[in-house]
């Protein structure tokens, strides 16, 4: 898309207006996906305002879980300092894959051939004569 559409589009990154609005705010960190997080000012309840600037498409499912908790004031300090290290068995967070080729499709889905397992015998179809 480039620099020509940036002033007018918000769905593929921060527009110029957003970047101007972040002047004076503190950049507090970034995540593995390249999203950048800011903090500054106060909201009407006196809590600090927090923002995320997405790297790429604006999709809230692309925010890492630890940063989600920071954005929503579930933790006060930055995730690196306030949360325990990830466990070895934890899988990395994935964005919402709906609408992509990687989306989950159950065995009977048309995208997987439309064939499903036969009924197990505990199902009796309704007929109008019954």
């Amino acid at each position: 898309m480039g620099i020509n559409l940036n002033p007018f589009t918000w769905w593929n990154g921060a527009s110029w207006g957003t970047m101007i609005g972040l002047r004076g705010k503190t950049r507090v960190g970034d995540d593995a996906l390249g999203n950048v997080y800011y903090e500054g000012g106060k909201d009407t309840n006196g809590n600090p305002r927090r923002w995320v600037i997405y790297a790429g498409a604006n999709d809230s499912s692309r925010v890492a879980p630890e940063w989600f908790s920071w954005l929503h004031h579930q933790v006060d300090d930055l995730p690196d300092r306030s949360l325990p290290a990830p466990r070895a068995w934890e899988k990395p967070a994935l964005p919402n894959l709906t609408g992509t080729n990687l989306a989950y499709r159950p065995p009977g889905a048309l995208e997987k051939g439309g064939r499903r397992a036969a009924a197990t015998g505990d199902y009796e179809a309704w007929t109008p004569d019954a």
Side-chain angles (χ1 to χ4, degrees):
M1 296 276 172
I3 195 165
N4 294 335
L5 288 179
N6 189 274
F8 311 110
T9 61
W10 55 265
W11 54 87
N12 60 358
S15 66
W16 288 358
T18 302
M19 298 312 286
I20 291 170
L22 288 174
R23 284 184 308 174
K25 309 305 185 242
T26 306
R27 179 181 172 154
V28 295
D30 53 4
D31 63 15
L33 295 173
N35 300 327
V36 181
Y37 300 90
Y38 291 88
E39 184 175 47
K42 300 279 184 190
D43 67 9
T44 55
N45 294 327
N47 296 322
R49 287 190 181 263
R50 295 173 175 172
W51 292 270
V52 59
I53 302 299
Y54 299 101
N58 291 339
D59 179 9
S60 61
S61 72
R62 295 182 64 238
V63 173
E66 59 272 10
W67 283 102
F68 177 90
S69 62
W70 178 82
L71 281 170
H72 294 275
H73 300 282
Q74 295 173 346
V75 294
D76 290 328
D77 207 0
L78 295 177
D80 300 338
R81 293 186 285 217
S82 62
L83 298 176
R87 308 283 184 160
W89 45 264
E90 289 183 40
K91 292 183 177 181
L94 292 175
N96 185 354
L97 300 174
T98 302
T100 69
N101 290 332
L102 299 174
Y104 171 74
R105 295 193 171 54
L110 293 176
E111 294 87 356
K112 290 191 98 174
R115 298 177 191 256
R116 63 175 187 85
T120 60
D122 61 350
Y123 172 77
E124 186 177 324
W126 177 85
T127 61
D129 299 330

